[in-house]
Amino acid sequence: MTGDTNSTASRRQILDGVSGRGERVPFAGSDRASRLPPNWEQLRDDAHWRNPEHICHWCGKPGGTDLDHIDGDWTNNASENLDWIHSKRDVRAGRSKRNCHGEKTGREAAAARWRREPPMKHPGLL
């Protein structure tokens, strides 16, 4: 009986995005894992072989743990478009002082907004 309760609780935690140890579960509640190409593990291995110290392509320091699409296009899984980057997990674990992935994503989002919505003219100008 307890086993059933624990397994149900574990499933609920995973669906909520938290493991039994209180850690975030990658991809919980997301369809991102289903969008990865079938050869994702091989792409990760190739990236590790090219950059064994996992030098972050954003800040240039070692220890990046996330594999990032350099051009921001998640459909472009070309080997030369994938490299390591620091994430907020690296900051929490003390491996990095910067959330490079968050900085990069913020900059990409701002650039996309700029392209969609050109700045308004100042109301005082004719």
Side-chain angles (χ1 to χ4, degrees):
M1 190 84 150
T2 305
D4 292 332
T5 305
N6 286 341
S7 67
T8 302
S10 296
R11 273 188 242 124
R12 188 175 307 115
Q13 287 174 327
I14 289 171
L15 291 173
D16 291 342
V18 180
S19 74
R21 295 183 304 246
E23 300 166 339
R24 299 287 301 160
V25 176
F27 299 125
S30 170
D31 70 341
R32 291 179 66 190
S34 66
R35 292 184 287 167
L36 294 174
N39 65 336
W40 185 250
E41 288 302 315
Q42 180 62 46
L43 292 168
R44 285 183 62 87
D45 290 345
D46 291 348
H48 176 72
W49 182 79
R50 284 190 323 274
N51 183 356
E53 293 182 34
H54 294 207
I55 305 295
C56 175
H57 73 87
W58 189 256
C59 72
K61 295 188 177 171
T65 56
D66 287 9
L67 197 55
D68 183 44
H69 293 86
I70 296 169
D71 68 0
D73 177 3
W74 63 269
T75 63
N76 180 1
N77 294 309
S79 204
E80 60 274 0
N81 186 46
L82 300 171
D83 208 353
W84 302 102
I85 194 165
H86 294 113
S87 69
K88 62 184 171 188
R89 286 186 307 280
D90 296 318
V91 174
R92 285 190 204 128
R95 292 184 296 260
S96 175
K97 293 182 179 179
R98 295 173 63 182
N99 175 4
C100 299
H101 194 262
E103 291 176 20
K104 177 180 178 267
T105 301
R107 193 170 288 179
E108 289 169 346
R113 278 192 304 276
W114 181 265
R115 286 190 300 271
R116 277 193 319 269
E117 303 164 12
M120 292 176 42
K121 293 186 178 182
H122 191 281
L125 299 176
L126 297 176

